[in-house]
Amino acid sequence: MRTFFILTLFVMLNGMLIAQEKDPMVTDRPGTAESASVIPIRGFQIESGFAFEKVSSDINNVTFNTTLLRYGLVENIELRLGFQYLGYYQSLEGGDVDETGFGPLTLGAKFLLLEESEGSPKLALLSTLFVPKSGASAFENENLGADIRLNADYSINHAMALGGNLGVSWSGIDEQDYAVWMYAAVIGLTLSDQIGAYAELYGFLPGEGKNDHRWDGGLTYAVTEDLQLDFSAGVGLSKVSPDFFISLGLSIRMP
């Protein structure tokens, strides 16, 4: 009887521990490609980071902080709120330009359309709005801006996955408020229980002006199942692209 009791208690405790296990945290950073995963019901995730972009020998862009808040509203739908603090620096013969301030506030939602199955990827629709006149004068958009993307993820095996985005956006900025199509193709690798890596090719195809193609790659490190660090770096592949860029980030999942 005692042995039976001990075995029963062990099975119950083991079942409780398994029930408490969480799925691996999936973030929408550091790459440009957004995942097709959505936050579970009542789940909350904070994804924050810093980025530096060397546009040319005379121009630098700095994102001192970009923060995305993600909340699982109902099954297969998450709400998103984003804000960022930006810097723009340009060296001129007549004097330097130095601008800092908040960028436009973003509001969005991601909708899971299709779960991954054998032969078909996971699909999600991501819609984001750029709130007009919600940032500093140097970075604000006068009109409502929007970004719409179709996100896809597909697992090759337990250590490799492919992803992609196709979308279009309108900045809402006067004299730049034309459609800009975008694409992104990414490969992700699981190197260990804590370390992941990725590489992606992406670009922007504006209705006016020249196309902008870029490449980047990076690493993620899971400090805990609810805390992730990331690093990425990339280069421009077109004449209008930045020379290079780097990013550091931190993501937290609650509860």
Side-chain angles (χ1 to χ4, degrees):
M1 175 66 77
R2 181 179 179 183
T3 301
F4 176 78
F5 174 78
I6 293 174
L7 288 174
T8 302
L9 182 61
F10 174 79
V11 171
M12 291 176 61
L13 290 174
N14 188 57
M16 292 173 63
L17 290 174
I18 293 175
Q20 292 175 357
E21 289 182 355
K22 297 181 180 179
D23 292 331
M25 182 167 61
V26 179
T27 65
D28 280 345
R29 60 165 299 114
T32 296
E34 305 268 4
S35 73
S37 298
V38 300
I39 301 297
I41 300 175
R42 293 185 295 277
F44 182 64
Q45 204 157 290
I46 304 171
E47 302 177 10
S48 185
F50 162 88
F52 172 83
E53 183 179 84
K54 185 72 173 179
V55 178
S56 66
S57 59
D58 300 324
I59 301 176
N60 297 324
N61 289 327
V62 180
T63 302
F64 293 102
N65 178 264
T66 178
T67 297
L68 174 65
L69 308 180
R70 305 171 62 190
Y71 176 74
L73 180 63
V74 296
E75 186 175 6
N76 299 334
I77 299 178
E78 72 172 53
L79 299 181
R80 301 157 69 93
L81 170 65
F83 50 90
Q84 51 189 349
Y85 193 80
L86 307 173
Y88 172 84
Y89 305 93
Q90 182 175 8
S91 298
L92 301 172
E93 293 183 1
D96 296 343
V97 176
D98 184 342
E99 299 281 0
T100 57
F102 283 99
L105 188 70
T106 63
L107 302 173
K110 188 189 290 187
F111 307 88
L112 181 63
L113 303 178
L114 181 68
E115 287 283 6
E116 182 178 348
S117 61
E118 186 175 355
S120 63
K122 177 185 289 187
L123 295 176
L125 179 68
L126 174 60
S127 177
T128 305
L129 299 177
F130 303 95
V131 180
K133 300 182 179 180
S134 58
S137 59
F139 306 104
E140 71 178 3
N141 47 308
E142 293 292 331
N143 308 308
L144 180 68
D147 186 293
I148 302 173
R149 299 188 187 189
L150 181 64
N151 307 339
D153 294 335
Y154 186 74
S155 301
I156 303 298
N157 52 47
H158 71 281
M160 180 182 296
L162 302 177
N165 287 182
L166 287 175
V168 61
S169 66
W170 296 265
S171 68
I173 300 174
D174 284 346
E175 300 180 359
Q176 300 180 32
D177 200 10
Y178 43 78
V180 178
W181 296 89
M182 71 82 60
Y183 72 89
V186 59
I187 180 170
L189 300 173
T190 300
L191 304 181
S192 71
D193 290 341
Q194 292 180 290
I195 301 175
Y198 83 95
E200 69 176 344
L201 175 70
Y202 66 98
F204 306 96
L205 317 176
E208 300 179 20
K210 297 182 179 180
N211 297 337
D212 178 357
H213 304 283
R214 309 180 186 188
W215 175 91
D216 74 333
L219 296 170
T220 61
Y221 177 74
V223 180
T224 69
E225 62 180 4
D226 297 319
L227 175 62
Q228 176 181 285
L229 304 177
D230 65 67
F231 166 79
S232 65
V235 296
L237 303 177
S238 307
K239 290 184 178 180
V240 297
S241 306
D243 293 340
F244 71 89
F245 44 92
I246 60 172
S247 174
L248 300 170
L250 168 71
S251 299
I252 302 172
R253 177 170 60 180
M254 299 181 290

